[in-house]
Amino acid sequence: MTQTTVSTSLFSPQLKESQSTQTKHSLFADASSRLEQALKHISMSEDAIERLRHPKASLTVSIPVRMDNGSLQVFQGYRVRYDDTRGPGKGGVRYHPNVTLDEVQSLAFWMTFKCALLDLPFGGAKGGITVNPKELSKAELERLSRGYIDAIADFIGPDVDIPAPDVYTNATIMGWMMDQYSIIKRQLSRGVVTGKPLTLGGSEGRNTATATGAFYVIGATLPKFVKNPYNTTVAIQGFGNAGSILAELLFKAGYKVVAVSDSQGGIYTPQGLDIPSIREYKNRSRSIKAVYCEDTVCSIVEHQVISNAELLALDVDILIPAALENQITADNAKDVKAKFIFEVANGPIASAADPILAEKGIHVFPDILVNAGGVTVSYFEWVQNRNGWYWTLEEVNQRLKVKMEAETERVWSIAQKLSVDVRTAAYVHGLNRLGEALDAKGTRNYYIDLG
Ligand code: GLU
């Protein structure tokens, strides 16, 4: 029943043309412009550059799902393997009504640079299903997730491409996916998916990893600007897994988190919000309210309700976009007043906004560094699955801290050395590692020398 189209850029020259017309104003074209920007600061073989301009393989599938009312609904799904020179493809699966192939390609592109930047032995990949998961029952969600794996099973594998959670997917869904793949292969294959429930071979600390990684990057950065948590105000757009856990980590470390928002809107209190009680309320009610709790008694406190647009324009030290891509664009970049932006979402700033933010002296720390904690602990999970030897939460967080801080320092020193912004430095750092691996496979010069 499942329809499958595989396109591999290497073998389809006509794809190049149709792709470039199709993606003229696409997210992927925007994402690629950061690569072109970084290439100005690095000498790389032309072969490696050309390889990195194209996704290696893109799979589009139709997933038929029997709904609870007996009807059949067909969902569109994707998996893109952008590059696997440094290791198997790695990246999450997103469930969202706006998922398109263009978006999944962009996300797979970012994963490629993220894994190289963190020196993980992985390439970059991403998947997605065009669906509003909030409209499905749990049983429908399970059938959809298992159907997705049925459709892409030949395209993934512990040594081929390893999915993980992303926007609106979670450990339960990863458990179903790993189980379905194991059923298909007639072999328990824990290492095929990361972000699983602990009891099915998940890792300690994976659920909190994106937020914890971002927390380490922020902690390693602020002292460079003579800032400490107690004199730092923060606004966070997005109160999902990454945004809400990061809000709590920052709150507990003494930062003043003055605003948070979710897709419905946000709340703002200049004196600082009590994040643990807001998380508790959100978990219970699925909406954000400022709550004050004393012992077991909680009451909803007065707060200013703000829109997402207003949150992005708040006069704070740190702005953290932790929702979706394209939130800060050429249209609203001029309104941003924060001194630092840490991108916890993938691609929240459009490339056209970069020069406007730079002009205003705003320091932007890019997604491929700031949110890399998630995939780093996914790597730890994959290692643990292969060894059958599981680590404690302290071991996971300690190893995560060492990696995030070391790569933050490397990116920072490249930025200083080349006098470039931190995003360009991050791409240069990832490109160095990718270029080395691509060249090791043989370049044009290598063959010319042989001749
Ligand atoms: N979805 C996460 C990201 O964008 C994690 C990917 C993974 O763990 O493979 O980095």
Side-chain angles (χ1 to χ4, degrees):
M1 287 271 276
T2 303
Q3 277 172 22
T4 298
T5 337
V6 183
S7 51
T8 305
S9 57
L10 282 178
F11 300 114
S12 43
Q14 75 281 20
L15 185 77
K16 215 162 144 185
E17 213 180 273
S18 69
Q19 224 175 31
S20 63
T21 34
Q22 251 174 38
T23 56
K24 223 167 172 193
H25 300 290
S26 76
L27 189 61
F28 181 60
D30 199 58
S32 309
S33 69
R34 261 72 179 254
L35 170 63
E36 303 302 328
Q37 174 65 21
L39 285 170
K40 294 181 193 153
H41 302 277
I42 187 170
S43 87
M44 261 180 96
S45 76
E46 275 176 38
D47 290 14
I49 296 172
E50 192 51 19
R51 291 287 292 270
L52 288 172
R53 285 192 174 124
H54 309 275
K56 183 174 179 182
S58 305
L59 176 67
T60 301
V61 293
S62 301
I63 312 158
V65 176
R66 182 68 56 202
M67 307 304 279
D68 291 347
N69 66 6
S71 68
L72 183 85
Q73 206 171 316
V74 178
F75 295 89
Q76 200 74 27
Y78 307 95
R79 185 77 192 167
V80 173
R81 189 146 70 252
Y82 197 87
D83 185 80
D84 55 8
T85 312
R86 290 178 36 90
K90 187 83 193 81
V93 182
R94 172 173 296 203
Y95 288 1
H96 195 275
N98 298 341
V99 164
T100 59
L101 180 59
D102 173 54
E103 183 193 41
V104 177
Q105 278 181 351
S106 313
L107 290 159
F109 168 89
W110 287 319
M111 286 309 303
T112 306
F113 285 89
K114 199 185 295 185
C115 291
L117 197 157
L118 267 288
D119 205 12
L120 309 178
F122 289 139
K126 203 80 177 200
I129 301 178
T130 314
V131 58
N132 183 351
K134 293 176 186 169
E135 287 172 358
L136 301 190
S137 71
K138 200 163 177 188
E140 287 167 344
L141 202 57
E142 177 173 355
R143 290 195 286 274
L144 176 66
S145 305
R146 290 185 184 274
Y148 177 64
I149 294 300
D150 289 341
I152 67 163
D154 293 330
F155 201 71
I156 58 170
D159 291 305
V160 182
D161 177 359
I162 304 135
D166 195 74
V167 173
Y168 292 144
T169 53
N170 57 21
T172 307
I173 294 174
M174 295 307 116
W176 292 330
M177 289 186 175
M178 184 277 286
D179 185 51
Q180 190 63 20
Y181 183 84
S182 300
I183 291 169
I184 294 167
K185 296 290 164 183
R186 295 268 184 265
Q187 191 174 50
L188 183 59
S189 302
R190 293 204 148 145
V192 68
V193 170
T194 58
K196 303 178 291 291
L198 277 184
T199 181
L200 294 180
S203 174
E204 290 287 353
R206 175 61 187 85
N207 189 42
T208 50
T210 307
T212 308
F215 180 71
Y216 293 145
V217 174
I218 296 170
T221 303
L222 285 193
K224 300 184 194 308
F225 297 90
V226 207
K227 284 241 133 279
N228 67 54
Y230 303 99
N231 64 12
T232 304
T233 53
V234 185
I236 303 181
Q237 183 205 33
F239 211 64
N241 171 279
S244 72
I245 297 173
L246 178 57
E248 186 151 332
L249 288 171
L250 292 170
F251 171 86
K252 287 187 171 154
Y255 293 80
K256 202 197 272 187
V257 183
V258 296
V260 294
S261 69
D262 63 12
S263 54
Q264 310 301 312
I267 49 177
Y268 170 57
T269 303
Q271 300 73 23
L273 296 158
D274 181 65
I275 300 296
S277 64
I278 297 171
R279 281 194 73 204
E280 205 182 285
Y281 185 85
K282 165 107 187 172
N283 287 341
R284 263 188 288 126
S285 68
R286 306 212 150 270
S287 73
I288 280 186
K289 286 256 156 61
V291 190
Y292 176 72
C293 292
E294 206 174 354
D295 296 327
T296 53
V297 191
C298 296
S299 56
I300 294 175
V301 292
E302 281 306 312
H303 58 270
Q304 208 179 318
V305 176
I306 53 169
S307 66
N308 267 294
E310 286 167 332
L311 182 141
L312 296 175
L314 283 176
D315 190 0
V316 287
D317 294 303
I318 297 182
L319 174 62
I320 300 181
L324 292 167
E325 52 275 359
N326 260 333
Q327 299 300 303
I328 301 172
T329 63
D331 295 334
N332 62 358
K334 60 181 182 323
D335 303 328
V336 175
K337 295 177 200 72
K339 296 173 190 67
F340 302 90
I341 302 178
F342 289 88
E343 293 184 325
V344 168
N346 287 306
I349 301 180
S351 63
D354 287 349
I356 304 170
L357 298 172
E359 176 79 9
K360 297 184 75 165
I362 299 170
H363 300 276
V364 178
F365 290 79
D367 45 8
I368 57 170
L369 170 67
V370 177
N371 73 25
V375 70
T376 301
V377 177
S378 274
Y379 165 55
F380 296 163
E381 180 173 329
W382 181 77
V383 168
Q384 292 170 79
N385 290 156
R386 293 169 84 93
N387 291 339
W389 177 261
Y390 288 83
W391 310 349
T392 63
L393 179 60
E394 290 67 35
E395 284 170 317
V396 168
N397 281 342
Q398 182 51 31
R399 286 176 166 132
L400 176 63
K401 187 168 194 282
V402 168
K403 252 194 166 323
M404 298 304 298
E405 290 180 352
E407 299 304 340
T408 303
E409 287 310 324
R410 289 194 180 110
V411 168
W412 184 252
S413 65
I414 292 172
Q416 304 306 300
K417 205 168 121 202
L418 301 179
S419 297
V420 293
D421 58 71
V422 184
R423 188 192 305 283
T424 304
Y427 275 88
V428 166
H429 189 32
L431 268 171
N432 276 326
R433 288 187 174 136
L434 278 160
E436 213 180 310
L438 283 159
D439 285 351
K441 284 189 171 182
T443 66
R444 198 176 312 201
N445 291 344
Y446 174 80
Y447 291 103
I448 291 167
D449 288 350
L450 278 185

